Amino acid sequence: MKSLITLLLVLTVSGAALAEKPSAESIEKLLIVTDSDKVMDQMFDHLDGFMKNMVNQSVQQNKMNEEGRKVMDNFMARMVKVMREELSWEQTKPIYVQVYSENFTQQEVDDLLTFYATPTGKALIEKMPVVMGKSMELTQARIGPMMQRMQMEMRAAVAEVKAAQKADGAQ
């Protein structure tokens, strides 16, 4: 009986150890190893390009003159500046530490650190920004047609509402 209690105690302690919350230091090390700050900078670089494309589309669709383009360029530059300030690495790092802490155990963080030290882990870190950038680019190409479909659906819904209101008024 004593050995059964000891075994249960060991298993309970082992389970608790496996579920141990990761230390802030280990999470910060993981964020450093994965170049999270650089990934954030690259995200903003992609965002700059996305915003410039939006300005170009808006200028073309609204047939703006050069003065309108300058106003839109200035507006987008201010918006990107605000986003860079509000979502800077210094501002968001504590959020990442909190989210990792709430969702990973110390063992998982340690395992990730071990993985990222391997050649495959290093390749993932190196290639992931390119993968994300290309994914965003290809997804962006789908947004235009999607928006057109959504506008058609919105017009159909508005027409349906008007028809329903007209039918209610006729009764």
Side-chain angles (χ1 to χ4, degrees), residues 45-59 69 72-73 76-77 80 140:
D45 291 343
H46 287 290
L47 182 62
D48 284 343
F50 179 76
M51 297 293 248
K52 286 176 184 170
N53 284 341
M54 283 181 51
V55 166
N56 289 335
Q57 287 176 1
S58 181
V59 166
R69 173 180 285 288
M72 291 301 293
D73 284 340
M76 287 298 181
V80 170
Q140 183 179 351

Side-chain angles (χ1 to χ4, degrees), residues 21-127:
K21 282 197 166 288
S23 68
E25 295 79 24
S26 66
I27 294 170
E28 288 182 21
K29 184 176 179 183
L30 180 60
L31 294 174
I32 290 168
V33 166
T34 57
D35 290 331
S36 296
D37 58 335
K38 292 177 187 155
V39 171
M40 186 73 87
D41 287 341
Q42 289 171 340
M43 180 195 70
F44 281 120
D45 291 343
H46 287 290
L47 182 62
D48 284 343
F50 179 76
M51 297 293 248
K52 286 176 184 170
N53 284 341
M54 283 181 51
V55 166
N56 289 335
Q57 287 176 1
S58 181
V59 166
Q60 289 172 359
Q61 288 173 352
N62 295 299
K63 297 179 173 81
M64 292 182 194
N65 61 15
E66 193 55 34
E67 184 64 27
R69 173 180 285 288
K70 287 179 184 176
V71 169
M72 291 301 293
D73 284 340
N74 191 339
F75 168 74
M76 287 298 181
R78 290 192 320 264
M79 294 301 102
V80 170
K81 181 180 182 225
V82 167
M83 285 188 272
R84 281 186 183 266
E85 289 171 357
E86 294 297 322
L87 299 174
S88 70
W89 182 242
E90 293 75 27
Q91 296 290 331
T92 56
K93 181 180 171 185
I95 294 169
Y96 282 93
V97 171
Q98 176 186 341
V99 170
Y100 276 59
S101 177
E102 291 171 356
N103 291 285
F104 290 97
T105 65
Q106 183 64 55
Q107 184 62 53
E108 291 167 336
V109 170
D110 292 343
D111 291 347
L112 287 168
L113 286 166
T114 300
F115 168 72
Y116 286 121
T118 68
T120 303
K122 290 176 184 175
L124 179 65
I125 292 166
E126 180 183 317
K127 294 176 184 180

